[in-house]
Each structure stands twice: as structure tokens, then as C-alpha cells.
């Protein structure tokens, strides 16, 4: 490689930093969604890079389903404290208590859909005109068509047939009052890119991503972690297994995988040889072929 | 993703190639992308299972690779691609981003969008039909958007008995009309996306073909010279003033180098003020760099206190862009509503926001014949040349020299929609 060649990770980094700065410049009151998962950890890290030595000029928001792993919450709180970042937490439980959304029932009950209500309320309450999310286009078919700057109407809805064309690196964030934008700074990253970048930059992660022993139950090909939120069906039982998580989300629908990967290098080798997509471990996407598309139209991230 | 194990080091050294694909409805574009992903082992088991099930349900006897790239429900129902979709895969040599754009007549705007960031375009030609109107249109757009490399894939060779004569004729047909276009690097590959000939693996059916496979081109084509490293242009995107105890006087100018290089000590000039200074430091997070080059995102500080804000541009004192309010542009109209002569639109150029007036329509191009026409109404998908006047001077280069400082978008102020892609002449 010649001396002016930029590697693909540095090119992705430069692109994401550009997008995040564009958000800070174009919107009056942006917010960055933070779930405590690796994608949002990388996105937040890129935001810190974008504005250093100043602090990140917008708050972070976490939509807490109430079904989070304690490790994720501890990690989140430490990171916010270390970086002096303003974090807003919105609870799905509050939306349920206020009767805005009904809790799903049954053995596969999940709050994944309910969190859209909490999210939209949180955005409205804070009068945020732009919310950045860590969605990646390689995750799922409906995400492959997302723009970096995704316009939402006053109901927070996405209209996939009526998206603004996005050319070169010129981003059009103009909107009417009451409308807002979703922006996806790491759109072009793949799962592999994320892991390689974490290794390259030595970014700390919650311990859930690395191998550990845990009680799990196998359901529809997914290993679900033992928690008060999962009710065993007939014939199911908790089993102690050596696992790690490829994604970290709500405990009711985030599956673990059997793995002994203990270092970032181990994980990268595992990702390189694995034959299942990371969302393949998520029960919420298996509900129907267009599950993600339907949730996104309603305002899901 | 390949079966070979990625060495961590190797992966950290990879380059990124962005390419776009164009073809008409039945040219087999989705099948080609499916084939690239499938033969380079970038398909996951759960994805494969899903498309196997769908293929079976649709009564097909072999796996329909095209299903891999069909995104939204409406498309699956209608069996067509309706928007730009982005796909990702990597081989041990490179990482690839595909902007998958549909080939319908009414979707010129999608190809323009996909082409705007591409290093390379694959244009599909059906071996049975040869060069058709849509091929001409795709090549014209590739030339208009200045995609540095073009690969013409003559597909469905299996349906013409892998005939060398058919391939050579199509090559000749293409060269005949493309002489009128500005295409610096064109290659031809005979393929069968359905059977896998010359896509990732060499064909056993075309021994007469001496060239390389499509994948070999994608992995090896030289792209470093696609970035303009000569004309230094640094549009200021954001001003960073921490005003904290550790950095009380830090005043950094953040942005992405559009082209060229910058190093500490360089003499620079700020536009539009014209003030000059020298570079004191270059930052990327906690790291201090001695030099930076396009397309890096950096923050710089200067040795003099100059008033600089978003929309300004930092350049070298001896190499400056053009500065004008009267600008000639080639455009592709993207909006639902036709262009209004003497109409006013918002205009975005680098980090600058201005307004502009459509002063004159010079000509429109018939994109099927490439002739200039007298019809001067611009509707969606129309391409041509216009003159505009902006409310403030822009600092720009010709699009041919610089894809970033040479491009603009126009926005309808009533709807806020992006209605026009413009390339400065």
C-alpha cells in the first residue's frame, strides 16, 4: 500500500465522523441512542473522536426495556461517568404503567415492540429533532435501503418508497416543524468491521461479549439466558453452558451462542468462520419475513 | 467471507472498493450479485435457508440467488427492485460495498444516486439482446458521474452457446457509441451469472476468453489514484471550542479533507475571507498527526486567530478553487415536480448552504440517443445543462477534477426534498 492509501477501517471511520459532525451542525437538538451494545459503543466512541478535545455536544438516550443485563447497565453507567456524558434513560415500564402500550403475554413475550412507543415519547419530550442510531445496513434486508439521513414524518414513521435521494457526501437534513430525522452514522460498517475496529482502537466492551458460564434454555434454535422474564415451557429446562453474546439487547429475545472466545482475536476468528448472521440469534426478527420492515415503518430503530 | 481464516493483520490492511451495478429488468443483475456473494462465500446459512425455502415455495427447482438482494416487502411482491440497496462482502483482499440500483426507465435517479460514490460500475448486457437503449443510458450516467472504472459484463453467455462472436460484436457495438462518452477505463467480461462462468470462478466453457474473471478485476483494480491528492480543499464542517480547563484556548476547525494533503507548517488561505495563516496542529482524537490526506476526517488549528466558521474553505495559497456566483452545471432532475425556470431552490455544496436561481436551460440530453434536444422542460430523470446564480459565491472545482467540491444538490424549499443532482462544469 502506498503512503496515502487509507485502509477500509480508516475510511469508514472518516465517513462516520463526517456524518456525526454533520448532525451536530445541521440539527438544533440532536440525541444519540445508546443501548450498551457494541454498535452503539463504537458509534459513541466515533462521536468522541469527532469532537475531541471538546465533549460530545449532545446527550445520549437509552431506552431501557427493564429486561437488560445488569452487566450492560453497569458498563453504561461507568462509561458515561468516565466521559462526563449526559445520559437520559427512558423506561418501557413507564409507558406500560401509563397505559400507552400493552405488555405482551405468553412464553415468547417481548418488550421489543413496546420500546418504539417509549422511544417516540422520549424524543418528543426532549424535543429532539434528530436521533442517531447504531443501525448497520448489513444487519437485515430492510436496513439495506436506509439512508444515512432518514426522514421521519410527524408520527415518526418511515416511508421506504419515498426516501430522499442521497448523493455524494451531501446530506439534506431539512425538515418541517414536528418532523425529525434518524441518522445512522455506521450504516456502512459490517459486524466484522465493528470487531476489527474495536481491536484496532482497543475499545472496552461489556463482559457479556466474551465467553462465560451461564444458565440458558434452547428455544427455536436460540439460546436464551436465564432471567426472571423468561418462563419455561413444558419440557424445557435451564442448562449451564459455555456461551457468549453476539448482540446485546433485551434478555427475552437476545440469544447467546456456544463459544469459548475469550479475546477480541478469538471473536474475530469466530465471526470470520461463522455461518449464521448475528440477527439470526434474535427471536424478534424470526417472527415473520418482513418483521424488521414492519417495526421500522412504525418508528423502531 | 471466505473459508480462509482472516489474519487480523491482513484485514487491517484492506482497501475499500465501492461499486454500483446497472442493468435492465431481466439482465440478471440480482442473480449476478447473488452469485458474487454465494461464490465468495459471503452468504450465511440462515440467509441461504430463507431463500431456499422461498424458492421452493415459488415452485423453482434451483435456488433463486436473486432473492438474496430483494429487500422490501413491496419488491418481493412485485419481483422488482425499487430503490438503492447497499450490500457488503469481503474477500481476503478487499472489502466491497455494492450500491445495487434498479434498471427501470423511471429509476435513472437511483442509478445517479448509487453512482455518486462508486469507484467502479458494472453494466450488464444481455448477450441475446446486445447493446440496447438502457445500456447507452447506463454508460452515459457512468460517464456523467465520472465513475473511474467501468466493467461491461456480457451476461447469459450460456444462452448463446458461449459464442466468442456474440461477445466480440457486443464489444464493438459498445465501443462505437461510447466514443462520444468520457469513460477512462472500460473492460469487458463474458459471464453467466446463473451458471457462475467468469464471475468468481474461471469459466470452463469459454477457452477463447483470455481475460480475467469479474472478481479478479474487483479485487485487483488500482483505485488509489481515484482520490485527488493534488488540489488541497478542506471545507470547514464544524468549529470545536472546548473552553475547558485543559484546553482553554483550543480553537479547532473540523472537517473531512475533500482532496489533497495538509501538513503542519503549511501556509493556507481561508475562503471567502482571504486571510492567510499556517497550520499549527492536526488532530484525530488524541493523536496528533504531522500530515493528513483525503478522505480523512481531521481537526486542525492555525497559528493566527482568524474568524472561521462552517461553510468556509481552507486551501493552499498557491492553489485555489474557482469562486463565482454564476455557475454552469450538468444536472439530473430527481424531483416529482418539474424544474421551474427562474425558480428559486436551496442549494447545498460541501458544507455551504445557499439559495440559487435557475437562470437558463442550455440544453437537455436525450439519454437514449445522447443527442441534445430543444425540449427544455426538466422532469424526473431528465439530464441536461443549466446555468444558475447563487446568493453567495461558491468555492468550487469542476466535477471532472473533484467529485466533492464539484457537486451540488438542489432542494425544493416547499417540500424539503432533494430534487436535483448537479455536477459543475
Amino acid at each position: 500500500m502506498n503512503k496515502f492509501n487509507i485502509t477500509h477501517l480508516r475510511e469508514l471511520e472518516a465517513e462516520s465522523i463526517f456524518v456525526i459532525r454533520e448532525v451536530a451542525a445541521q440539527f438544533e437538538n440532536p440525541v444519540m441512542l445508546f443501548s450498551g451494545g457494541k454498535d452503539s459503543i463504537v458509534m459513541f466512541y466515533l462521536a468522541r473522536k469527532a469532537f475531541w478535545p471538546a465533549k460530545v455536544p449532545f446527550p445520549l438516550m437509552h431506552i431501557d426495556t427493564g429486561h437488560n443485563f445488569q452487566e450492560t447497565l453497569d458498563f453504561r453507567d461507568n462509561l458515561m461517568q468516565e466521559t462526563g456524558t449526559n445520559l437520559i434513560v427512558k423506561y418501557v415500564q413507564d409507558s406500560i404503567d401509563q397505559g400507552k402500550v400493552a405488555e405482551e403475554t405468553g412464553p415468547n413475550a417481548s418488550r421489543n415492540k413496546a420500546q418504539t412507543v417509549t422511544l417516540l415519547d422520549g424524543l418528543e419530550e426532549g424535543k429532539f429533532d434528530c436521533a442517531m442510531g447504531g443501525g448497520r445496513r448489513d444487519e437485515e434486508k430492510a436496513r439495506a435501503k436506509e439512508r444515512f439521513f432518514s426522514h421521519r414524518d410527524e408520527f415518526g414513521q418511515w416511508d421506504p418508497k419515498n426516501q430522499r435521494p442521497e448523493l455524494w457526501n451531501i446530506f439534506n437534513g431539512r425538515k418541517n416543524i414536528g418532523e425529525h430525522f434518524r441518522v445512522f452514522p455506521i450504516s456502512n460498517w459490517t459486524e466484522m468491521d465493528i470487531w476489527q475496529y474495536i481491536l484496532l482502537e482497543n475499545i472496552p466492551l461489556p463482559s457479556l461479549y466474551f465467553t462465560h458460564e451461564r444458565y440458558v434454555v434452547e428455544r427455536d434454535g436460540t439460546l436464551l439466558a436465564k432471567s426472571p422474564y423468561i418462563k419455561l415451557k413444558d419440557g424445557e429446562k435451564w442448562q449451564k453452558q459455555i456461551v457468549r453474546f453476539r448482540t446485546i439487547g433485551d434478555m427475552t429475545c437476545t440469544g447467546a451462542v456456544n463459544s469459548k472466545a475469550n479475546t477480541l482475536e478469538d471473536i474475530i476468528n469466530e465471526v470470520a468462520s461463522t455461518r449464521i448472521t448475528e440477527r439470526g440469534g434474535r427471536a424478534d426478527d424470526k417472527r415473520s419475513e418482513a418483521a424488521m420492515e414492519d417495526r421500522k415503518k412504525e418508528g423502531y430503530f | 467471507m471466505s473459508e480462509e481464516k482472516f489474519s487480523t493483520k491482513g484485514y487491517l490492511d484492506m482497501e475499500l472498493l465501492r461499486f454500483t451495478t446497472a442493468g435492465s429488468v431481466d439482465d440478471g443483475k440480482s442473480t449476478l450479485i447473488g452469485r458474487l456473494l454465494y461464490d465468495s462465500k459471503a452468504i450465511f446459512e440462515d440467509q441461504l435457508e430463507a431463500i431456499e425455502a422461498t424458492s421452493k415455495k415459488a415452485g423453482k427447482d434451483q435456488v433463486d440467488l436473486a432473492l438474496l438482494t430483494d429487500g422490501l416487502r413491496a419488491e418481493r411482491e412485485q419481483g422488482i427492485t425499487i430503490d438503492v440497496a447497499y450490500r457488503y462482502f469481503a474477500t481476503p483482499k478487499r472489502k466491497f460495498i455494492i450500491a445495487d440500483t434498479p434498471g427501470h426507465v423511471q429509476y435513472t435517479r437511483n442509478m445517479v444516486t448509487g453512482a455518486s460514490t462508486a469507484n467502479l460500475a458494472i453494466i450488464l448486457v444481455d448477450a441475446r439482446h446486445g447493446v440496447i437503449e438502457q445500456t447507452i443510458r447506463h454508460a452515459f450516467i457512468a460517464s456523467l458521474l465520472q465513475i473511474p472504472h467501468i466493467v461491461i459484463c456480457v451476461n447469459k453467455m450460456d444462452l448463446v452457446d458461449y459464442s466468442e462472436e456474440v461477445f466480440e460484436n457486443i464489444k464493438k457495438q459498445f465501443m462505437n457509441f461510447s466514443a462520444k462518452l468520457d469513460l477512462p477505463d472500460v473492460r469487458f467480461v463474458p459471464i453467466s451469472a446463473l451458471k457462475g462462468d467468469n464471475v468468481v470462478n474461471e469459466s470452463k466453457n469459454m477457452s477463447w476468453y483470455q481475460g480475467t474473471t469479474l472478481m479478479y478485476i474487483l479485487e485487483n483494480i488500482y483505485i488509489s489514484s481515484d482520490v485527488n491528492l493534488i488540489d488541497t480543499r478542506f471545507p470547514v464542517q464544524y468549529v470545536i471550542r472546548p473552553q475547558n480547563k485543559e484546553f482553554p484556548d483550543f480553537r479547532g476547525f473540523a472537517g473531512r479533507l475533500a482532496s489533497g494533503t495538509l501538513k503542519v507548517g503549511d501556509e493556507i488561505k481561508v475562503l471567502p475571507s482571504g486571510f492567510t495563516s499556517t497550520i499549527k496542529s492536526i488532530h484525530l482524537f488524541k493523536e496528533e498527526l504531522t500530515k493528513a490526506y483525503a478522505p480523512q476526517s481531521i481537526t486542525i488549528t492555525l497559528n493566527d486567530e482568524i474568524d472561521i466558521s462552517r461553510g468556509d474553505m481552507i486551501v493552499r495559497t498557491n492553489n485555489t478553487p474557482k469562486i463565482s456566483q454564476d455557475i454552469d452545471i450538468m444536472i439530473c432532475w430527481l424531483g416529482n415536480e418539474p424544474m421551474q425556470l427562474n425558480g428559486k431552490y436551496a442549494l447545498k455544496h460541501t458544507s455551504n448552504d445557499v439559495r440559487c436561481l435557475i437562470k437558463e436551460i442550455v440544453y437537455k440530453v436525450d439519454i437514449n440517443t445522447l443527442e441534445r434536444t430543444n425540449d427544455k422542460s426538466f422532469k424526473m430523470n431528465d439530464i441536461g445543462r443549466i446555468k444558475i446564480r447563487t446568493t453567495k459565491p461558491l468555492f468550487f472545482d469542476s466535477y471532472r477534477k473533484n467529485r466533492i467540491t464539484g457537486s451540488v444538490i438542489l432542494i425544493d424549499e416547499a417540500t424539503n426534498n432533494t430534487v436535483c443532482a448537479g455536477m459543475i462544469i
Side-chain angles (χ1 to χ4, degrees):
Chain A
M1 250 182 226
N2 79 42
K3 61 179 178 163
F4 291 122
N5 254 13
I6 191 163
T7 64
H8 81 288
L9 287 176
R10 293 300 177 205
E11 188 169 342
L12 291 172
E13 176 190 63
E15 177 181 80
S16 299
I17 290 174
F18 179 84
V19 171
I20 294 167
R21 285 172 174 165
E22 213 47 31
V23 167
Q26 288 198 32
F27 295 95
E28 275 170 34
N29 194 17
V31 65
M32 180 173 270
L33 277 294
F34 186 84
S35 69
K38 65 180 190 313
D39 297 335
S40 62
I41 289 169
V42 165
M43 177 171 64
F44 175 53
Y45 182 83
L46 291 164
R48 287 170 58 212
K49 273 202 166 187
F51 302 104
W52 188 92
K55 281 185 189 167
V56 172
F58 39 74
L60 268 56
M61 190 196 286
H62 183 210
I63 304 301
D64 188 339
T65 61
H67 296 166
N68 282 295
F69 293 97
Q70 192 55 44
E71 290 95 322
T72 312
L73 299 180
D74 294 343
F75 180 90
R76 174 196 79 186
D77 293 342
N78 283 334
L79 182 61
M80 295 306 125
Q81 204 179 359
E82 269 170 33
T83 55
T85 307
N86 175 15
L87 174 79
I88 301 161
V89 184
K90 290 285 159 196
Y91 299 93
V92 173
Q93 188 63 51
D94 291 347
S95 305
I96 293 169
D97 293 345
Q98 290 158 15
K100 287 178 173 164
V101 63
E103 177 112 63
E104 285 186 10
T105 53
N108 287 324
S110 156
R111 289 184 167 179
N112 208 337
K113 209 171 162 196
Q115 65 180 333
T116 301
V117 174
T118 314
L119 168 67
L120 293 177
D121 280 355
L123 294 180
E124 198 169 323
E125 221 171 278
K127 305 244 179 308
F128 295 113
D129 55 355
C130 172
M132 281 170 274
R136 308 190 325 259
R137 288 176 182 149
D138 81 321
E139 279 180 82
E140 209 277 338
K141 283 198 270 192
R143 286 210 198 272
K145 313 222 153 171
E146 267 287 10
R147 304 293 194 258
F148 276 94
F149 273 47
S150 182
H151 176 252
R152 302 302 161 106
D153 65 16
E154 63 265 52
F155 300 103
Q157 296 178 109
W158 181 57
D159 181 0
K161 279 196 176 172
N162 193 22
Q163 300 195 78
R164 293 180 185 173
E166 209 161 74
L167 298 113
W168 301 290
N169 58 350
I170 310 178
F171 297 106
N172 173 5
R174 292 173 63 115
K175 60 185 179 341
N176 290 320
I177 294 166
E179 298 175 344
H180 71 274
F181 269 77
R182 301 284 174 86
V183 173
F184 303 94
I186 57 167
S187 286
N188 276 334
W189 298 57
T190 61
E191 183 185 16
M192 187 57 149
D193 299 329
I194 294 283
W195 283 115
Q196 290 284 353
Y197 188 72
I198 290 168
L199 176 70
L200 183 68
E201 297 281 309
N202 200 15
I203 304 171
L205 286 184
S207 55
L208 292 166
Y209 282 113
F210 301 93
T211 186
H212 57 280
E213 268 193 345
R214 180 179 293 269
Y215 279 102
V216 293
V217 62
E218 187 174 342
R219 183 178 293 170
D220 303 329
T222 302
L223 298 177
L224 296 172
K226 184 172 182 181
S227 75
Y229 317 113
I230 298 206
K231 303 270 176 286
L232 289 181
K233 295 186 202 172
D234 284 348
E236 287 181 342
K237 61 171 195 285
W238 297 115
Q239 282 180 316
K240 207 176 209 181
Q241 294 200 28
I242 308 280
V243 297
R244 66 174 202 88
F245 290 88
R246 284 178 79 186
T247 66
I248 295 182
D250 188 294
M251 290 172 85
T252 60
C253 58
T254 306
V257 290
N258 288 118
S259 168
K260 289 183 178 158
N262 197 27
T263 62
L264 289 169
E265 284 88 348
D266 289 348
I267 292 175
I268 287 164
N269 279 322
E270 193 181 283
V271 172
S273 58
T274 190
R275 309 303 314 148
I276 303 278
T277 59
E278 64 185 323
R279 292 199 81 91
R282 291 185 66 140
D284 47 334
D285 286 339
K286 289 190 176 169
R287 290 185 169 192
S288 88
E289 210 189 341
M292 173 72 97
E293 188 182 337
D294 290 342
R295 286 205 308 276
K296 278 179 72 73
K297 280 183 183 164
E298 289 166 11
Y300 182 81
F301 248 86
Chain B
M1 224 164 283
S2 159
E3 290 290 335
E4 292 164 54
K5 257 198 178 173
F6 277 92
S7 80
T8 307
K9 200 182 156 297
Y11 195 84
L12 296 179
D13 264 346
M14 274 163 67
E15 281 179 323
L16 179 63
L17 177 83
R18 296 173 199 251
F19 68 93
T20 182
T21 51
S24 46
V25 185
D26 294 316
D27 283 348
K29 190 164 56 66
S30 297
T31 309
L32 175 64
I33 294 171
R35 173 62 66 187
L36 277 171
L37 299 177
Y38 186 76
D39 284 358
S40 59
K41 309 201 168 52
I43 297 174
F44 292 103
E45 265 170 32
D46 52 336
Q47 291 174 315
L48 198 58
E49 274 168 29
I51 65 159
E52 272 168 358
T54 313
S55 305
K56 211 176 263 174
K57 222 161 53 186
K60 296 187 176 159
D61 30 333
Q62 68 185 91
V63 177
D64 186 357
L65 291 174
L67 290 172
L68 276 171
T69 58
D70 277 350
L72 303 175
R73 176 182 282 175
E75 293 178 348
R76 286 197 293 279
E77 282 164 3
Q78 295 165 33
I80 53 158
T81 322
I82 54 170
D83 203 338
V84 187
Y86 296 87
R87 315 283 165 199
Y88 302 82
F89 71 105
T91 67
K93 287 206 169 141
R94 271 187 182 158
K95 160 169 173 147
F96 300 95
I97 301 180
I98 314 176
D100 180 11
T101 61
H104 283 259
V105 183
Q106 63 268 44
Y107 292 125
T108 295
R109 65 177 219 159
N110 292 335
M111 181 173 170
V112 169
T113 303
S116 71
T117 52
N119 306 91
L120 180 147
I122 293 175
I123 298 177
L124 273 159
V125 177
D126 188 323
R128 296 168 303 171
H129 308 314
V131 170
I132 56 172
E133 274 188 4
Q134 296 198 36
T135 317
I136 297 176
R137 185 159 60 232
H138 296 147
F140 176 61
I141 293 169
S143 129
L144 187 71
L145 273 290
Q146 292 282 305
I147 302 179
H149 315 279
I150 311 292
V151 182
I152 310 292
C153 284
V154 180
N155 191 23
K156 306 196 181 181
M157 288 300 291
D158 54 312
L159 299 181
V160 294
D161 295 328
Y162 297 104
S163 156
E164 182 177 10
E165 199 189 334
V166 169
F167 176 68
E168 289 299 329
N169 274 340
I170 291 174
K171 232 166 119 171
K172 254 183 242 146
Q173 276 181 331
F174 187 88
M175 309 262 247
N176 278 344
F177 85 83
S178 70
K180 287 186 247 175
L181 302 174
D182 185 11
L183 299 172
D185 176 20
V186 185
R187 295 149 201 244
F188 297 85
V189 186
I191 65 165
S192 165
L194 189 70
K195 309 278 181 191
D197 297 271
N198 287 336
V199 179
V200 174
N201 303 315
E202 266 179 49
S203 172
K204 293 188 179 66
N205 301 306
M206 290 178 273
S207 50
W208 49 265
Y209 174 66
Q210 301 297 313
T212 59
T213 62
L214 173 61
M215 181 58 95
Y216 184 88
I217 295 174
L218 296 177
E219 281 189 323
N220 293 287
I221 201 161
Y222 186 69
I223 52 171
S224 303
S225 54
D226 296 354
V227 178
N228 176 338
L229 289 170
I230 295 161
D231 310 304
T232 299
R233 306 284 184 259
F234 184 65
V236 176
Q237 201 186 355
Y238 197 83
V239 179
I240 293 174
R241 302 205 61 182
Q243 293 172 307
N244 59 22
K245 266 185 230 147
E246 211 183 330
F247 299 94
D249 302 316
F250 187 96
R251 197 173 151 78
F253 306 105
R256 192 172 188 191
L257 256 170
S259 55
T261 60
L262 279 176
K263 61 179 194 299
V264 173
D266 276 355
E267 230 177 271
I268 58 93
K269 184 174 179 174
V270 182
L271 299 175
S273 70
F275 289 124
T276 57
S277 181
T278 50
I279 294 183
K280 187 177 169 189
S281 61
I282 304 174
H283 304 269
L284 176 55
F285 203 29
K286 293 165 188 170
E287 195 181 346
E288 240 186 280
L289 311 173
T290 51
K291 64 173 195 305
Y293 50 93
Q296 284 185 309
S297 280
I298 50 168
T299 301
I300 64 170
T301 64
L302 300 178
N303 281 312
D304 302 275
E305 265 199 36
I306 306 177
D307 186 28
I308 299 176
S309 53
R310 175 175 166 89
D312 292 356
M313 190 183 282
I314 292 172
V315 299
R316 282 186 199 281
T317 45
N318 58 356
N319 177 340
T320 52
K322 287 179 221 163
I323 304 175
S324 175
Q325 281 176 271
D326 291 292
I327 303 166
D328 269 35
I329 55 178
M330 285 300 290
I331 60 159
C332 175
W333 195 254
L334 313 167
N336 289 313
E337 302 294 322
M339 180 173 78
Q340 300 294 320
L341 183 60
N342 297 316
K344 294 185 182 77
Y345 294 89
L347 180 150
K348 273 184 178 285
H349 171 253
T350 67
S351 52
N352 235 323
D353 279 285
V354 299
R355 296 176 75 212
C356 76
L357 175 77
I358 312 282
K359 267 177 56 186
E360 186 188 330
I361 292 167
V362 184
Y363 59 81
K364 197 166 99 175
V365 177
D366 179 329
I367 51 174
N368 297 320
T369 60
L370 306 186
E371 313 260 311
R372 295 175 185 183
T373 68
N374 290 323
D375 172 14
K376 292 193 171 170
S377 64
F378 274 78
K379 297 185 292 295
M380 191 195 282
N381 299 312
D382 285 346
I383 290 172
R385 180 169 174 167
I386 64 169
K387 287 180 190 290
I388 58 170
R389 183 171 172 84
T390 56
T391 47
K392 282 194 301 184
L394 297 184
F395 336 114
F396 60 90
D397 297 282
S398 73
Y399 185 76
R400 249 185 137 264
K401 266 177 79 181
N402 197 318
R403 280 170 105 179
I404 295 173
T405 58
S407 53
V408 299
I409 61 167
L410 266 50
I411 297 164
D412 181 331
E413 293 182 305
T415 62
N416 292 324
N417 278 328
T418 303
V419 291
C420 174
M423 290 133 285
I424 301 171
I425 291 167

